[in-house]
Every structure is written in C-alpha cells, then in structure tokens.
C-alpha cells in the first residue's frame, strides 16, 4: 500500500479539519453511525477471483451487519444481502448459540458469518439460527432450513454438493441440489455432542469447529464430545425480568475435562472409523486438518499439562495413526495456527523451539526439510500460501513489536522475507486460495481501519473500504484533536523491554498536572500497545481531563518465548511488578499528579486491578475491576493449567494469587467492582466471594452489576454506555473530588 507519511497526513489535517473540534461524549461513542467508520469484517475472496465479499454494519445500526461485495475490476461496493430482508432480528437464540457467539466474541446481530463454495457458485449465510443460500448467477436467495432449533457451524462441502451443520448436538448434511437433510449422528443429547467444539476448545484453544470435510467431500471427520465427567456448575443467569438457573458444564482447574474422540464417516458407504488418539483420554484435540489428496488426516494432540504437542498422521480408511512430529517445552506449548499441508505432500509448521515463533517445512514423514524464517522476532500468523510461486505469506512484527506488516518468503529456497505492505501501523490479511492476491486491512493511530484488495506483489488493486478520515466521516467533527499516543519503553527487572503508550488529555497544557488512569490487561499472550487505530471510547477519558497509560508487561504476546513464559506458574507476580514500575514512571512525569492515579481493567485486567490495589504501598488511589478472576481454581482447565499447573501441584501459586487473602490491604472506598450477571466465562462467583469477604471485613466498596450480560459487557450495545459512564463518574469522584 502506498500510504502518505504521518507528517504529510498531519499537514493535510491541519489544512482541512474544522477549526474547533466538537467534544466527544460517551453517548456519541455508542450511537450510530460508528465513529470508526465503515469497516469491512469477515473479508473473503471469491474462488474465481472476481469479487471480494465482506460484512459491514448498517449506517443506522452499526451492530447489525449485512453482506457486501466489491468487484475486482472496479465500481462501487454493493450490498449482496440485506439482513433485515431475511430476518427481523428478534429471534431468541438458543443457549448453545449464545455461548458459541460469546466464545467467538461476536456481539453483532444480522449476518455474522458466511462462506463461499469452492467453485464460487453461491454463498452460504447463517442468519438467526437458519440457513440461506445466495446464488451468484441470478442473485436469488433461497432459505434452506426453518426449524425450531439453531443450525450452527454451517459449511459448504469442498465440491459444493452439500451444506453441513450442527443442530441439537448432532451433525447433519443437506444436498445443495435439493432433498431432505440427513443426520450423520443421532445420539447427541444431554452431555453428549457430535460435530461441536467443546467449551475449552472454543474459549482457550482457538478451535471453533468440531468437524472437517475431506477435500473430495467423500468423508467427514467429526468429534464426539462426552461431558458426563465434567462438573456441573449451576449458574444463575440473572436478567432484567428474572433469573434462570443454567446447569453449565464448566471444567475448572484440576477437575475433569470433556472426553473428545474423533471419527471418520464415509458418506457413500456410511462406514464409521474411529481415529486412535491413544489410551490416555485426558488430552486436548488441538487442531485437525486434511492432506490435499484426502489420504491423510493430521491431528494435533496436546497433553493435559500442555508441555507436549504431537502431530499424528492418520489413515482415514483404517483409523491407524503415526506420530510424525513432537514439540516439547518445559513451561508450556503455545498453540499456533501455522500448519499448512501442501500439494506435494510436505507441510509447513510453526514452532517456538529457537526462542521465537517461526515457520518450518517438513516432509510427509515428519523429517525436517528447512527452517523457513528465523530472527529475533516472531511470526504472528501464517496468512496463506501461494503454491505456484512456492511462497508462504505471513504477518509479523519484524521492525518493531508495535507494528505489523505482511511478508512473503520462499519455502522452497528460504531467504530474507520480502515486505508486501508498508510500515508504520498494523496490517492483517486474507489471502486468496491461489495466486497470492490478498485483502489487506490497515490502521494506525491517525488512520481508521482501511481495507483494499492487493495483488501478489503488494500493489493496491482497488479499495474495498477506504474509510478515509475526511469530511463526511463520522469521526470528522473530532478529527482536529485526534489523540495520538506517545510510545516508549521501560526496562523490566530482568532487562526485557516493556513497551508503553501515553495518551494526553484533549487541550493538553504542559504546565498543568493531570490525574492519570492506567488501563491494564496484563494477562498472558495478549498485546495492547500497538500502532493501530484506538477505540473512540478511550477518548472520553481524555475529554474528561485524564492521562491514559498502557504498558505491555512480561507475559504479553508478540514477543519472544522467554518473554511470554515469565509468568509460568506465577500469575500475579512479575506482571504486577511491571505495572507498578510503569505507575512509578507515570508518577515521575511533570504533567501527572502523582497522588491521583487510577487503574481499570476487565477480565484478566480486573484481576490485575485488584492485585494492584492491594499491592504493598500501592500508588493507586482508586480502581475499577471488571469481571475479575479472583481465585484461579474457579477458572477453566486449559487456560489456568497452562500458566499455573493444577491447584494440587502449585498450592503456593494459587494461594498467593487469591484476591481474598489480600483484601486487608485494600483502601476503604477505593474499589469499583463490575460484573455481568450472566457471565459464563468468569463465573459470577468470582465476584460474589470478594463481595462477601469485603462485607465481612466491613471494608466499603462500590459495585455495578449488569443483568443479562455475559463476559463482554463493556462492548455491549445495551450496557456499554452504562459501563463507560460508571467508570467516568467513579474516577471523577475518587481522583478529582467531584
């Protein structure tokens, strides 16, 4: 992408932005149209390469999405399917579909996913629990299902002969040409499911599906998930009109997981073969993929302690498998999505074995052919492969952890990667199945998300959503005072660089002293300090006169393996130390009032907020902790055990990080505790135990609860404004005395 320099962009803004910017209010942040502009989501390239499709929110209701398209040869983008024409949006989704969307962090309504058939003849669109088929030839939309249950995880078979989906815990297929559906499984009920990804796979392993078509659509691999051994954790789903008790199967740390088995069904004969995953059932099925010739099924099997990852090659006709590659780590294996089976029988693989995530090429028998990338930087993700040119296309932060670009490298003759996109910001890409063309999305602190189609050499072919910050853009009235972070780094106790960003108040006066708020997450793997477009909601704190500070502590993502593993078995230790060091630096700034520091965070950030408020000699006067895990044995197996081991094996670590053991250090009145009352991820018990302990100790605190909301309340269309206003009002009282 040819992108103007920041200096040039600043000059343009200076000449063309309004002389006086409007004040951005919390109400406007959650109103329509979206302040970030029309952004393209779920971008896909048609198999014939003639068009790009994507999801876009309605101008009048940004949370309701339609399906759009843009022709490669030019012309204005156009709406393919108006979600309102097919559904009123009023249907109540099933509990299973609500949970699935929560796992995927999908809060939008309307069309939230879709898929092309491999021949480019039609698009499958799930909408409010039913399925629709859009014919590309004539634009006709046909309704495929109309059932009381929700059809979920719908796919088009590779040759376009079938549509497949899961309903009521069983796997079905339906011929595209017409005819009745066929149940491939019938035993799914109660704690037994087929073709689904279990809770842990969705929430912690980034595996959203439980079945996989063979390339010739002759066979399907599917999971059988048995949750009979998983503890039932009764969860009160408290809504605005009452409460429902949900008996949720929730695998807590140290407790039993679901048992997952894999089967292959031959569609023609109906024969079912089980893949032999081994005698030990206490494992994770991490990834499943087919070889391109359909003769091998690759399964990544992760040990319960997550220190061993096996790649097993299965014969789908017999179910016999052979382990062809094994990764081990004394701390934990970081699961990657960098496996790709190639036409010639070799495969690409991602590993952190040399200290950072890199790409490798292996022969079919698991023999290493070559390391493809190397260096003191990690490959973030394998975005695609162009087998004609024998290149791998990937995203990485080679120049700086704060920036991400798209690169290509030869896997046949590995050498220095070639940058396909410009630097200075944050890129993601969706690569075509063939040819190397890609839809690239870019943003930086001054550029809202932009999406365009690029040729294999990185040249822009056409805009998909230019989303230019100019007159007419939703953010334009506020553009002349667009906040741009200042970036820098501090040294951790072990010498590692800790990157931070500072946002200064609107109308900043260097002669004044301002209260400051540390916005924290702090948990393993996540990265928050990036040169990308920032949420407009952050600006409301700047409008209110606060300095906002973020720091990526040890354990954060997009860094070396050693940097990420610093938290191993020690949650609540080094990351807290790093954030306290950041707070000390913040207090040293001449424009920060050292006595008026606040901290806020959600989820792991809520845990961090509580840890920081109860640290010895805490510098924080007030903190807002949202949906915090407060005792790690209450959280799920895969996440907690990856970083902490089991409660039996790490009693000291679990005890140290239990918030209730630290509450005597909490300054009276310094805490605002927030939680969704239908949270199925960080169960509400995490907060109620703290509430009860504080009440027993007669320590005053404040609380905001959100009926009907799950874990993602801050982004909720209905409750997000309340969450933001509650934060602002709390900090105004505690840090400003208002």
């Amino acid at each position: 992408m040819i992108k103007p320099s920041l200096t040039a962009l600043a000059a343009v803004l200076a000449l063309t932005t309004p002389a006086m910017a409007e004040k951005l209010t919390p109400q406007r942040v959650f109103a329509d149209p979206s302040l970030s502009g029309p952004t393209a989501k779920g971008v896909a390239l048609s198999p014939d390469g003639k068009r790009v499709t994507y999801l876009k929110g309605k101008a009048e209701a940004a949370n309701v999405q339609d399906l759009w398209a843009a022709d490669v040869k030019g012309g204005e983008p156009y709406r393919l399917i108006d979600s309102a024409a097919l559904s009123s949006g009023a249907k109540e989704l099933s509990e299973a579909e609500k949970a699935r969307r929560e796992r995927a962090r999908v809060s939008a309504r309307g069309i939230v996913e879709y898929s092309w058939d491999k021949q480019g003849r039609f698009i499958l669109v799930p909408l409010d629990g039913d399925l629709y088929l859009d014919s590309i030839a004539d634009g006709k939309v046909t309704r495929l299902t109309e059932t009381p249950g929700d059809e979920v995880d719908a796919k088009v078979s590779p040759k376009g002969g079938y549509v497949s989906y899961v309903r009521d815990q069983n796997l079905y297929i339906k011929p595209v040409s017409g005819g009745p559906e066929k149940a491939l499984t019938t035993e799914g009920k109660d704690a037994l499911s087929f073709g689904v990804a279990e809770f842990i796979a969705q929430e912690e392993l980034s595996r959203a599906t439980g079945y996989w078509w063979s390339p010739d659509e002759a066979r399907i691999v599917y999971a059988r998930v048995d949750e009979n051994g998983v503890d039932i954790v009764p969860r009160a789903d408290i809504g605005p009109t009452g409460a429902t008790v949900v008996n949720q199967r929730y695998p807590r740390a140290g407790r039993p997981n679901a048992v997952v088995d894999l089967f292959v069904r031959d569609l023609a004969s109906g024969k079912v073969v089980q893949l032999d995953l081994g005698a030990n059932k206490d494992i994770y099925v991490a990834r499943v993929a087919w070889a391109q010739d359909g003769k091998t099924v690759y399964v990544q099997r992760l040990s319960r302690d997550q220190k061993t990852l096996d790649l097993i090659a299965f014969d789908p006709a017999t179910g016999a498998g052979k382990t062809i590659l094994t990764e081990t780590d004394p701390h934990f294996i970081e699961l990657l999505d960098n496996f790709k089976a190639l036409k010639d029988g070799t495969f690409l693989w991602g590993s952190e074995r040399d200290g950072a995530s890199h790409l490798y090429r292996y022969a079919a028998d698991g023999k290493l052919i070559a390391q493809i990338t190397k260096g003191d930087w990690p490959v973030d993700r394998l975005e695609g492969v162009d087998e004609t040119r024998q290149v791998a296309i990937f995203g990485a932060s080679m120049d700086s952890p704060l920036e991400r670009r798209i690169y290509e490298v030869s896997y046949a003759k590995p050498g220095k990667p070639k940058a396909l996109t410009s630097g200075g910001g944050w890129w993601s890409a969706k690569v075509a199945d063939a040819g190397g063309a890609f839809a690239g999305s870019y943003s930086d602190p001054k550029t809202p998300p932009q999406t365009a189609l690029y040729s294999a050499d990185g040249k822009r072919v056409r805009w998909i959503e230019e989303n230019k910050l100019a007159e007419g853009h939703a953010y334009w009235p506020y553009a002349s005072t667009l906040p741009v972070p200042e970036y820098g780094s501090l040294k951790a106790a072990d010498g590692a660089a800790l990157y931070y960003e500072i946002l200064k108040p609107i109308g900043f006066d260097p002669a004044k002293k301002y209260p400051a708020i540390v916005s924290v997450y702090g948990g393993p793997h996540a990265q928050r300090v990036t040169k990308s477009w920032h949420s407009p909601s952050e600006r409301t704190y700047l409008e209110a006169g606060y300095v906002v500070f973020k720091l990526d502590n040890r354990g954060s993502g997009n860094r070396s393996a050693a940097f990420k593993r610093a938290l191993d078995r020690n949650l609540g230790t080094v990351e807290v130390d790093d954030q306290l060091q950041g707070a000390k630096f913040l207090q040293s700034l001449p424009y920060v009032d050292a006595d008026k520091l606040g901290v806020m965070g959600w989820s792991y950030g809520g845990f961090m907020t509580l840890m920081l408020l109860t640290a010895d000699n805490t510098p924080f006067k007030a903190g807002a902790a949202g949906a915090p895990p407060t005792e790690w044995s209450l959280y799920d197996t895969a996440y907690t055990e990856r970083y902490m081991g089991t409660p039996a094996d790490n009693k000291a670590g679990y005890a140290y990080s239990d918030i209730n053991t630290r509450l005597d250090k909490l300054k009276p009145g310094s805490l605002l505790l927030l939680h969704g009352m239908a949270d199925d991820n960080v169960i509400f018990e995490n907060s109620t135990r703290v509430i009860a302990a504080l009440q027993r100790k007669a320590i005053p605190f404040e609380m905001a609860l959100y009926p009907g909301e799950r874990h993602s309340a801050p982004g909720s269309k209905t409750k997000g404004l309340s969450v933001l206003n509650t934060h602002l009002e709390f900090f105004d009282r505690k840090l400003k005395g208002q």
Side-chain angles (χ1 to χ4, degrees), residues 692-707:
L694 288 172
Q695 290 170 344
R696 284 196 303 270
K697 295 174 181 291
I699 300 174
F701 68 102
E702 299 183 28
M703 182 168 57
L705 303 178
Y706 297 92

Side-chain angles (χ1 to χ4, degrees), residues 304-575:
R304 173 71 184 255
D305 66 7
Q306 300 180 67
K307 296 180 181 182
T308 303
L309 178 67
D310 295 316
L311 178 64
I312 309 171
F314 285 99
D315 180 345
T318 66
K322 179 182 179 181
T323 299
I324 59 174
L325 193 158
T326 297
E327 293 277 350
T328 61
D329 190 281
H331 302 283
F332 54 83
I333 297 287
E334 190 77 64
L335 278 180
L336 305 170
D337 286 311
N338 294 340
F339 174 86
K340 174 66 176 178
L342 303 174
K343 290 180 182 178
D344 63 7
T346 65
F347 60 88
L348 304 184
W349 178 258
S351 172
E352 292 185 318
R353 69 185 60 163
D354 75 346
S357 174
H358 283 295
L359 299 175
Y360 298 78
R361 186 186 183 197
Y362 284 86
D365 61 0
K367 182 179 179 181
L368 178 64
I369 297 173
Q371 182 171 351
I372 300 168
T373 63
K374 60 183 63 178
D376 189 21
W377 49 269
V379 170
D380 182 35
R381 182 182 175 87
L382 178 65
E383 304 283 9
V385 171
D386 183 354
E387 295 198 59
T388 301
R389 295 185 297 126
Q390 294 185 303
V391 297
I393 301 160
F394 63 93
S397 301
M398 289 179 64
D399 301 322
S400 163
L402 308 186
E403 302 176 12
R404 188 182 194 269
R405 299 170 75 177
I406 306 301
Y407 297 86
E408 73 172 24
V409 64
S410 171
Y411 58 76
K413 297 179 180 179
K416 183 179 179 180
K418 173 187 174 184
L420 299 177
T421 60
S422 59
W426 201 263
W427 283 90
S428 62
K430 175 68 176 180
V431 180
D433 290 338
F438 62 94
S441 294
Y442 172 85
S443 80
D444 62 41
K446 290 189 175 182
T447 307
Q450 299 180 320
T451 304
L453 178 65
Y454 296 86
S455 58
D457 60 2
K459 293 181 180 178
R460 191 174 70 226
V461 176
R462 65 152 298 156
W463 285 111
I464 298 170
E465 283 291 352
E466 184 178 7
N467 198 16
K468 186 177 181 180
L469 187 53
E471 192 168 1
H473 192 282
Y475 200 91
W476 184 248
Y478 318 98
S480 64
T481 50
L482 175 66
V484 177
E486 295 179 6
Y487 297 93
S489 67
L490 305 173
K491 289 290 185 183
D494 64 359
L498 307 175
Y499 291 94
Y500 67 80
E501 67 174 52
I502 299 174
L503 284 163
K504 296 178 180 178
I506 303 298
F508 174 73
D509 182 349
K512 293 183 178 180
K513 284 188 176 290
Y514 296 91
I517 298 174
V518 174
S519 177
V520 65
Y521 182 75
H525 192 69
Q527 179 185 15
R528 300 189 70 222
V529 180
T530 62
K531 291 185 178 179
S532 59
W533 179 254
H534 285 45
S535 169
S537 64
E538 285 187 341
R539 175 169 174 158
T540 59
Y541 293 92
L542 312 183
E543 295 275 13
Y546 294 102
V547 170
V548 175
F549 179 83
K550 297 178 192 174
L551 179 139
D552 280 336
N553 47 252
R554 281 172 288 175
S556 301
N558 200 26
R559 300 291 297 276
S560 70
F563 187 88
K564 292 187 291 184
R565 285 158 174 74
L567 298 185
D568 186 33
R569 303 304 184 267
N570 289 304
L571 296 187
T573 58
V574 296
E575 77 273 38

Side-chain angles (χ1 to χ4, degrees), residues 149-387:
D150 290 342
E151 283 78 33
V152 301
D153 194 15
K155 303 174 187 178
V156 184
S157 61
K159 291 185 176 296
Y162 302 93
V163 169
S164 54
Y165 45 88
V166 175
R167 185 179 67 241
D168 298 332
Q169 300 172 242
N170 283 296
L171 178 61
Y172 294 82
I173 60 172
K174 184 180 179 69
V176 170
S177 58
E181 68 180 14
K182 180 178 182 179
L184 299 187
T185 67
T186 58
E187 299 174 358
K189 64 178 181 179
D190 300 327
L192 193 62
S193 301
F194 293 84
V196 302
E198 72 277 19
F199 173 91
I200 283 297
Q202 294 182 49
E203 181 65 38
E204 308 299 359
L205 305 183
S206 299
R207 176 169 65 79
T209 190
Y211 71 95
W212 302 263
W213 281 95
S214 66
D216 59 3
E217 72 179 35
R219 295 183 173 103
I220 294 182
V221 174
Y222 63 85
R224 177 186 185 272
V225 178
D226 185 350
E227 294 184 292
N228 277 292
V230 179
D231 294 340
I232 294 176
V233 177
R235 173 172 60 81
D237 192 327
I238 303 173
T241 59
T244 301
V245 176
V246 177
N247 288 319
Q248 182 176 346
R249 298 277 181 175
Y250 190 95
R252 286 177 164 166
R255 299 294 299 154
N257 270 323
V259 175
V260 180
D261 291 302
L262 294 177
F263 297 84
V264 182
R265 178 173 177 130
D266 183 280
L267 294 189
S269 67
K271 180 182 178 182
V272 176
V273 173
Q274 183 171 0
L275 300 184
D276 184 6
L277 293 171
N280 181 11
K281 297 293 185 180
D282 196 13
I283 51 95
Y284 297 106
V285 175
R287 303 284 185 270
V288 179
W290 283 86
Q292 291 197 36
D293 62 6
K295 295 180 180 179
T296 304
V297 178
Y298 294 102
V299 177
Q300 295 181 40
R301 179 183 62 194
L302 182 66
S303 62
R304 173 71 184 255
D305 66 7
Q306 300 180 67
K307 296 180 181 182
T308 303
L309 178 67
D310 295 316
L311 178 64
I312 309 171
F314 285 99
D315 180 345
T318 66
K322 179 182 179 181
T323 299
I324 59 174
L325 193 158
T326 297
E327 293 277 350
T328 61
D329 190 281
H331 302 283
F332 54 83
I333 297 287
E334 190 77 64
L335 278 180
L336 305 170
D337 286 311
N338 294 340
F339 174 86
K340 174 66 176 178
L342 303 174
K343 290 180 182 178
D344 63 7
T346 65
F347 60 88
L348 304 184
W349 178 258
S351 172
E352 292 185 318
R353 69 185 60 163
D354 75 346
S357 174
H358 283 295
L359 299 175
Y360 298 78
R361 186 186 183 197
Y362 284 86
D365 61 0
K367 182 179 179 181
L368 178 64
I369 297 173
Q371 182 171 351
I372 300 168
T373 63
K374 60 183 63 178
D376 189 21
W377 49 269
V379 170
D380 182 35
R381 182 182 175 87
L382 178 65
E383 304 283 9
V385 171
D386 183 354
E387 295 198 59

